[in-house]
Amino acid sequence: MMMTGRVLSLKLAGRAAVRLCSSSQLKPSSPSSPNSSSRTQAEKQRRRREREEAILSNPHNTAEDRAVIWSQKETIVYTAETPPGKKKDTSLPFPTSYSPEYVESSWYQWWEKEGFFKFGRMVPHRVDQTFSLCIPPPNVTGTLHLGHALTVAVEDALVRWRRMQGYRVLWVPGCDHAGIATQTVVERRLLREKGKHRQDFTRQEFLQEVWKWKKEKGDEIYHQLRTLGASLDWSRACFTMDPGFSRAVTEAFVRLCDSGLIYRSEGLVNWSCSLESAISDIEVDSKELSGQTMLSVPGYENKVEFGTMFTFVYPVEGQEVVVSTTRPETMLGDVAVAVHPDDPRYQAVHGKQCRHPFTDRLLPIITDPMVDMELGTGAVKVTPAHDHTDFLLSQRHSLPRLTVIGGDGTMTPLLKRFDARQLVVDALVEKKLFRGNKSHAMTLPICSRSGDVIEPLLKKQWFVRCDDMAKKAIQAVEDRQLEIIPHFYTKTWKNWLSNISDWCISRQLWWGHQIPAYRVELPNSTDNPEWVWGRSEDEARHRAAAKYGLKAEDITLTQDPDVLDTWFSSGLFPFAMLGWPEQTADLQCFYPNSILETGSDLIFFWVARMVMLGTELTGQLPFKQVLFHSLVRDKHGRKMSKSLGNVIDPLDVIHGVSLEVRLKEGNLDPRERLVAMEAQRKDFPKGIPQCGTDALRFALCSHKMQREDISLSTSQVLSCRHFCNKMWQTLRFTLGVLGQSTTPVGTLQEVYSVDRWICSRLYSTVLQVEQAFEAYELHTVTSALYSFWVHNLCDVYMECVKPVLVQTDTEHSGRVGHVASTILYHCVSMSLALVSPFMPFITEELWQRLNPFRPGVAVQGSLCLQPYPCSSQLVGPRPLVRLIEVIRVARSLRAQCGMTKEKPASKSCNSCKQPFQIYLCTHTGLNTAVYQL
């Protein structure tokens, strides 16, 4: 066995690589890593286990579970023959109840065909201001989930609000090619359907298969966006592999190379042996192990043991230096042993050398304060080619870097890295250098795409220098040229950018933007190859000819087969989508973008890189504001993930889905599948009911998305569907009142206390909505709109004036009823406009039916192009009218109309659920009341 170890090490001596967690006794070299959080990984793991236990142990039919129970509503279908793009016929009889399927039919096709979402659309109330943004381009790896739905709901609300204010609005749709993610899913598909690997195709043949996938998934994503009502300018749809966008990527690479900001060097990268490619930090998941754990690893028939600490010794002149590692196979690449300079245990070995037991290499014993002498044995093995911290030590002490694991995860052509582990341990035992092993908690980095264990490997790659660009990004926020909302993210922004490292942008893939760099082969030259770059091979050839003083035809160029990191191309999106590097009219008009709205988890991987690249390449910030929303979690507080089986397709909420369909999830580990199935049975005991787009959007925007993660439950969306029905019934009543009147609706005026009160509440609501929209506090907007419509308009005003609206046989009641119907019309019409950015379908349907009763000539077109209500155009509230006075006047109206007091009604407050008759409910503290006359 000793001979096996010797032969193994000799064969590995010339190979080169990165790290996992081989040493545990080094102090961290920086405050935190980019993907660290305020909670420790152990704490996250503990909370996850607690959530799983709660799911498995909690009984069914709790109060919250009962709230989700729903009865099947009548489905009403719009049956009128309406060719795609033709305006929906709203002269048909008004259905008796709200049905999402009826309401959401045909409207979007009409909006899109009429060009209501295009920038060039003229409106009479246009103002000389622009509002531009891009949708965070979803990956073409699958379909949208509720996190994407939140993004759409928030951005579309802002876009529709600004458009109704008369702004020149541009909202650009697009998709990201998602290099590593898309290539992975296509490879899996080909293996499953054709039994072929990527290597069985030529590069061009494989890319044709990926383009087929892109067309299928891209169309599906765009269908989802349309179903969600996103008012995007589809004429400018942008894909990151489109020819125009690809030219922008090439231009950016060449310019950054010319300025010295991109360079090629050997560095330590996250490496996926299954994919045989470097991957970004965002594609690395951290798996917490409490101790010895057997895990399945791609490419291995049997499970591999992790979470074990192995201890062995390096003899030094009659003394032993004891080191420990979770990865004994990497000791074949050890180049030194490090101790703390003040550790009394090792004072005698400072500056001495020990001999590697398998290769006879002499390893220096170095001293460095990075070593934590209070942890473990106080001495650490140094493997620079397989460990990030060891790599820093090698830089500080000029140590060699010996790679012993290849890019395919093997240590010899026939020996895989984890199979070599036991061979190394056996060889150490035979040498009598092994000192045992024990269970050890650790964090294992896992490739989120392949499930493989990440190897830190030393590779020659292309890197972006980030220091200077990061300083500019920090300064932009400090100088308030760039506003980050919520503001508490500014500290996170500064901390991460202050500790940024150079960015590896090359990937060993086929799908993506092939790097426009070329290896130069000079005639009669045996030197190391040089590299040139260019916007085309011809340009690169002329650059090489000028550089080396040769004729262009005498130079042979070979393009780098690698592709660029997806985050590099997506970092160009705000200006590449507008035609950069050409100075297009769009670029002049809409750049910088007004705002970027996205999830807070992309602050580093996308937002920071857009700011750095945009500032460097255009001389301007790519946007003026960044608005972050929180993550969408399930009702148990778990992040939605395919690996947990709790991802929800927004179309399932919009159209409804059975429990049986929901339980058909992907390949999950047995425990995760058990938890997923149990959670779904509790969350959706009868499946997900049909809620509709409007209800889903309103529910998503009703959360404090700037402050805390969103735990969305079906009951919340159902309550918003009930609100839709409330709006529906309100308009049915209003149309019934207006349809009986022979006098046109007049202008807004006030007569009785109840009229002054509702006008005051309407003014206050519009004012509150204005202020909250400007602060991007959408939950405040939705709360104000819901409160006005339900508690003020329906529960108070309509109840008060109902007697005079339904009984007009006396001169007095007729006059009073006309005033009341006028105020009711204006309140409902204005409320529809206020709610429109959040619920575009139902408000369009109801507004079109109400439009014929508009004072003067009914306007043409769509509600989405009508002026948004403004407080400056309304009369401010008069001195406060007490609600008890409202009741007194309403009772007087009943008496004047010859109506007697009804029997006590068993009704309850819509907010606090307390029963009442002539009872004021003031629990909200907002001067709202609910009562029964």
Side-chain angles (χ1 to χ4, degrees):
M1 183 58 66
M2 160 100 69
M3 205 53 168
T4 303
R6 184 185 301 269
V7 173
L8 170 66
S9 63
L10 291 175
K11 288 184 177 180
L12 297 174
R15 301 181 64 172
V18 168
R19 140 161 165 177
L20 221 103
C21 290
S22 59
S23 299
S24 61
Q25 298 156 20
L26 291 180
K27 297 177 182 177
S29 58
S30 60
S32 62
S33 61
N35 56 351
S36 64
S37 65
S38 57
R39 297 199 307 267
T40 64
Q41 291 292 341
E43 176 67 9
K44 289 183 178 180
Q45 192 73 5
R46 182 185 65 79
R47 293 194 179 197
R48 175 175 174 174
R49 287 196 300 269
E50 288 178 353
R51 293 187 185 112
E52 290 178 350
E53 290 301 327
I55 292 171
L56 294 174
S57 60
N58 283 349
H60 289 276
N61 296 323
T62 62
E64 188 173 2
D65 293 331
R66 288 194 296 271
V68 180
I69 296 177
W70 53 280
S71 57
Q72 184 67 44
K73 304 296 183 182
E74 178 186 5
T75 299
I76 304 174
V77 181
Y78 177 75
T79 57
E81 185 176 345
T82 307
K86 184 179 179 181
K87 186 177 180 181
K88 191 173 180 180
D89 185 1
T90 54
S91 65
L92 298 175
F94 200 16
T96 57
S97 62
Y98 167 73
S99 174
E101 191 169 343
Y102 180 94
V103 169
E104 295 169 14
S105 171
S106 299
W107 285 122
Y108 196 94
Q109 293 90 334
W110 177 61
W111 292 333
E112 188 175 346
K113 183 178 180 181
E114 292 297 317
F116 293 150
F117 306 151
K118 290 185 178 180
F119 158 69
R121 185 76 188 191
M122 298 293 295
V123 293
H125 57 285
R126 168 165 288 185
V127 297
D128 188 23
Q129 295 189 67
T130 61
F131 185 73
S132 59
L133 71 161
C134 64
I135 193 171
N139 296 342
V140 290
T141 50
T143 56
L144 305 183
H145 52 67
L146 280 185
H148 296 105
L150 173 63
T151 300
V152 171
V154 172
E155 292 184 10
D156 197 41
L158 297 176
V159 163
R160 288 177 179 271
W161 166 59
R162 288 301 193 194
R163 188 182 289 119
M164 293 176 73
Q165 286 186 317
Y167 280 58
R168 294 175 295 170
V169 173
L170 178 65
W171 187 24
V172 178
C175 279
D176 192 285
H177 67 279
I180 196 166
T182 303
Q183 178 163 315
T184 300
V185 296
V186 172
E187 285 192 53
R188 289 176 180 169
R189 184 185 198 181
L190 291 174
L191 184 61
R192 181 178 65 254
E193 296 179 357
K194 300 183 179 181
K196 292 184 177 182
H197 295 85
R198 169 168 56 102
Q199 292 75 10
D200 297 326
F201 299 84
T202 66
R203 183 166 185 155
Q204 290 305 315
E205 288 172 343
F206 179 78
L207 291 179
Q208 289 177 4
E209 295 293 333
V210 184
W211 277 106
K212 291 178 185 177
W213 171 274
K214 180 270 169 186
K215 178 172 175 54
E216 173 187 332
K217 291 302 177 182
D219 290 348
E220 189 171 349
I221 288 171
Y222 285 169
H223 167 70
Q224 286 180 294
L225 290 173
R226 287 179 166 94
T227 304
L228 285 165
S231 57
L232 293 149
D233 187 344
W234 292 105
S235 66
R236 289 175 165 85
C238 182
F239 178 53
T240 53
M241 289 289 286
D242 285 341
F245 203 104
S246 296
R247 284 194 297 272
V249 173
T250 298
E251 180 70 25
F253 183 89
V254 171
R255 288 192 188 185
L256 293 173
C257 283
D258 288 344
S259 63
L261 289 175
I262 288 182
Y263 65 96
R264 183 173 176 84
S265 178
E266 188 174 59
L268 210 55
V269 297
N270 297 318
W271 188 267
S272 171
C273 295
S274 292
L275 301 174
E276 295 194 48
S277 174
I279 64 174
S280 67
D281 291 337
I282 200 173
E283 289 154 337
V284 179
D285 294 334
S286 296
K287 190 175 186 66
E288 298 295 325
L289 304 181
S290 58
Q292 291 178 342
T293 307
M294 303 299 293
L295 297 176
S296 297
V297 178
Y300 291 80
E301 293 184 5
N302 300 320
K303 290 188 175 182
V304 179
E305 180 182 319
F306 296 94
T308 300
M309 183 69 78
F310 299 86
T311 302
F312 65 96
V313 300
Y314 278 115
V316 184
E317 298 182 1
Q319 185 177 350
E320 292 183 345
V321 179
V322 183
V323 297
S324 297
T325 178
T326 58
R327 307 184 62 210
E329 66 275 12
T330 63
M331 65 86 62
L332 297 169
D334 286 358
V335 297
V337 175
V339 298
H340 194 282
D342 300 330
D343 193 332
R345 294 171 291 181
Y346 302 111
Q347 294 294 319
V349 299
H350 288 187
K352 294 186 177 181
Q353 294 178 319
C354 54
R355 191 173 295 278
H356 197 286
F358 303 142
T359 66
D360 288 335
R361 290 196 312 270
L362 291 176
L363 312 182
I365 298 177
I366 61 174
T367 60
D368 196 289
M370 287 178 63
V371 179
D372 193 338
M373 59 184 177
E374 297 180 359
L375 289 179
T377 65
V380 295
K381 57 191 288 296
V382 182
T383 320
H386 297 279
D387 185 285
H388 291 286
T389 306
D390 292 358
F391 183 78
L392 295 178
L393 282 174
S394 72
Q395 292 178 317
R396 291 158 65 117
H397 297 274
S398 300
L399 297 173
R401 298 156 191 167
L402 179 62
T403 298
V404 294
I405 298 176
D408 59 355
T410 61
M411 302 191 75
T412 70
L414 299 177
L415 185 61
K416 298 176 183 177
R417 51 184 168 151
F418 297 130
D419 290 339
R421 179 172 297 177
Q422 190 59 48
L423 295 178
V424 171
V425 171
D426 292 343
L428 288 170
V429 170
E430 189 172 345
K431 283 274 191 178
K432 298 183 179 178
L433 298 176
F434 189 68
R435 295 295 181 265
N437 62 290
K438 63 180 180 180
S439 181
H440 178 75
M442 64 178 294
T443 301
L444 196 65
I446 302 293
C447 175
S448 63
R449 307 302 179 186
S450 65
D452 198 5
V453 177
I454 292 298
E455 284 289 344
L457 289 186
L458 201 59
K459 292 287 185 179
K460 288 187 176 181
Q461 304 282 289
W462 294 93
F463 293 87
V464 176
R465 302 184 198 276
C466 295
D467 284 348
D468 290 341
M469 290 192 291
K471 290 175 183 177
K472 293 177 184 177
I474 294 172
Q475 196 64 42
V477 173
E478 291 181 345
D479 294 343
R480 299 186 179 180
Q481 297 175 356
L482 175 64
E483 182 183 12
I484 295 179
I485 307 170
H487 296 299
F488 60 76
Y489 280 113
T490 57
K491 183 177 180 181
T492 308
W493 178 267
K494 182 176 181 179
N495 288 344
W496 187 77
L497 286 173
S498 297
N499 295 283
I500 197 170
S501 57
D502 286 356
W503 169 22
C504 173
I505 58 171
S506 44
R507 300 288 181 265
Q508 291 62 49
L509 306 172
W510 284 356
W511 172 243
H513 298 101
Q514 190 170 352
I515 295 176
Y518 302 81
R519 189 173 64 251
V520 181
E521 297 178 20
L522 302 175
N524 305 318
S525 174
T526 58
D527 296 337
N528 292 329
E530 295 288 338
W531 291 83
V532 293
W533 44 85
R535 296 166 182 83
S536 65
E537 183 174 342
D538 187 59
E539 179 182 338
R541 188 179 305 280
H542 283 85
R543 285 182 176 228
K547 181 177 181 180
Y548 299 107
L550 299 172
K551 294 182 179 180
E553 56 269 21
D554 293 335
I555 294 176
T556 301
L557 297 182
T558 304
Q559 187 172 1
D560 191 333
D562 292 352
V563 299
L564 289 164
D565 179 14
T566 298
W567 297 107
F568 183 85
S569 52
S570 61
L572 311 178
F573 209 89
F575 48 96
M577 71 177 188
L578 300 174
W580 183 91
E582 303 298 328
Q583 293 301 309
T584 63
D586 281 353
L587 194 66
Q588 299 287 340
C589 183
F590 294 110
Y591 189 80
N593 297 171
S594 303
I595 193 172
L596 174 79
E597 195 283 331
T598 189
S600 57
D601 54 332
L602 294 180
I603 184 171
F604 309 126
F605 304 109
W606 190 41
V607 181
R609 286 166 179 171
M610 279 190 288
V611 171
M612 291 191 293
L613 292 175
T615 304
E616 186 64 35
L617 293 169
T618 71
Q620 294 178 284
L621 290 167
F623 27 73
K624 302 168 187 176
Q625 293 179 310
V626 181
L627 175 61
F628 289 117
H629 65 247
S630 302
L631 299 179
V632 178
R633 299 182 180 272
D634 64 16
K635 61 179 276 188
H636 307 286
R638 301 180 304 161
K639 182 179 178 179
M640 290 192 176
S641 166
K642 290 182 180 179
S643 64
L644 296 179
N646 63 346
V647 171
I648 298 178
D649 185 331
L651 298 189
D652 288 347
V653 181
I654 293 171
H655 301 307
V657 66
S658 66
L659 177 62
E660 291 72 19
V661 174
R662 285 291 307 153
L663 290 177
K664 291 180 180 178
E665 293 296 341
N667 297 324
L668 303 177
D669 137 321
R671 175 178 172 80
E672 289 175 338
R673 178 166 179 78
L674 176 64
V675 173
M677 293 177 67
E678 188 64 17
Q680 290 182 33
R681 287 193 182 97
K682 291 180 178 180
D683 293 354
F684 321 112
K686 297 170 64 177
I688 300 179
Q690 183 188 56
C691 296
T693 297
D694 292 319
L696 175 60
R697 289 171 51 133
F698 199 82
L700 288 168
C701 290
S702 297
H703 290 82
K704 294 181 180 180
M705 62 195 70
Q706 295 183 26
R707 294 180 176 86
E708 55 203 27
D709 287 347
I710 298 172
S711 295
L712 188 70
S713 64
T714 305
S715 59
Q716 294 170 323
V717 187
L718 273 176
S719 69
C720 293
R721 173 178 167 144
H722 298 330
F723 177 44
C724 290
N725 190 59
K726 189 81 169 179
M727 295 168 64
W728 191 264
Q729 300 305 331
T730 299
L731 199 84
R732 286 192 71 229
F733 176 79
T734 303
L735 292 178
V737 170
L738 296 176
Q740 297 175 10
S741 175
T742 57
T743 307
V745 173
T747 57
L748 198 62
Q749 55 183 306
E750 303 173 32
V751 178
Y752 290 97
S753 299
V754 65
D755 301 320
R756 297 204 309 272
W757 178 80
I758 193 63
C759 290
S760 171
R761 297 308 306 150
L762 177 60
Y763 174 85
S764 298
T765 300
V766 171
L767 188 62
Q768 188 177 7
V769 165
E770 283 178 343
Q771 295 170 346
F773 251 132
E774 292 291 347
Y776 304 124
E777 296 280 354
L778 298 191
H779 69 282
T780 303
V781 179
T782 55
S783 176
L785 295 177
Y786 180 90
S787 180
F788 174 77
W789 194 299
V790 175
H791 301 314
N792 299 158
L793 181 60
C794 294
D795 289 341
V796 176
Y797 184 72
M798 288 175 60
E799 287 295 327
C800 286
V801 300
K802 188 181 293 184
V804 297
L805 290 175
V806 299
Q807 189 164 347
T808 58
D809 55 352
T810 68
E811 179 182 352
H812 178 79
S813 63
R815 185 178 72 256
V816 174
H818 176 62
V819 173
S821 63
T822 297
I823 291 179
L824 178 61
Y825 166 85
H826 284 289
C827 285
V828 173
S829 177
M830 195 168 294
S831 295
L832 289 172
L834 289 168
V835 179
S836 177
F838 302 95
M839 295 179 159
F841 292 103
I842 187 173
T843 53
E844 183 76 72
E845 179 85 26
L846 300 182
W847 183 83
Q848 292 287 352
R849 291 179 179 273
L850 193 62
N851 191 36
F853 297 94
R854 179 187 179 92
V857 180
V859 298
Q860 300 300 313
S862 167
L863 173 59
C864 68
L865 297 182
Q866 301 309 305
Y868 199 74
C870 176
S871 61
S872 62
Q873 298 172 349
L874 299 177
V875 178
R878 297 184 181 182
L880 182 64
V881 178
R882 294 190 307 158
L883 283 174
I884 194 67
E885 175 66 12
V886 174
I887 295 176
R888 186 191 66 74
V889 173
R891 296 179 68 182
S892 173
L893 289 174
R894 282 181 177 272
Q896 293 174 21
C897 292
M899 300 183 67
T900 59
K901 187 179 187 304
E902 299 173 353
K903 294 182 180 180
S906 57
K907 291 194 174 183
S908 60
C909 170
N910 286 339
S911 296
C912 69
K913 308 304 180 186
Q914 295 298 314
F916 59 81
Q917 290 177 4
I918 303 177
Y919 172 76
L920 292 182
C921 182
T922 58
H923 71 280
T924 61
L926 295 174
N927 193 34
T928 60
V930 189
Y931 51 84
Q932 173 69 33
L933 295 175

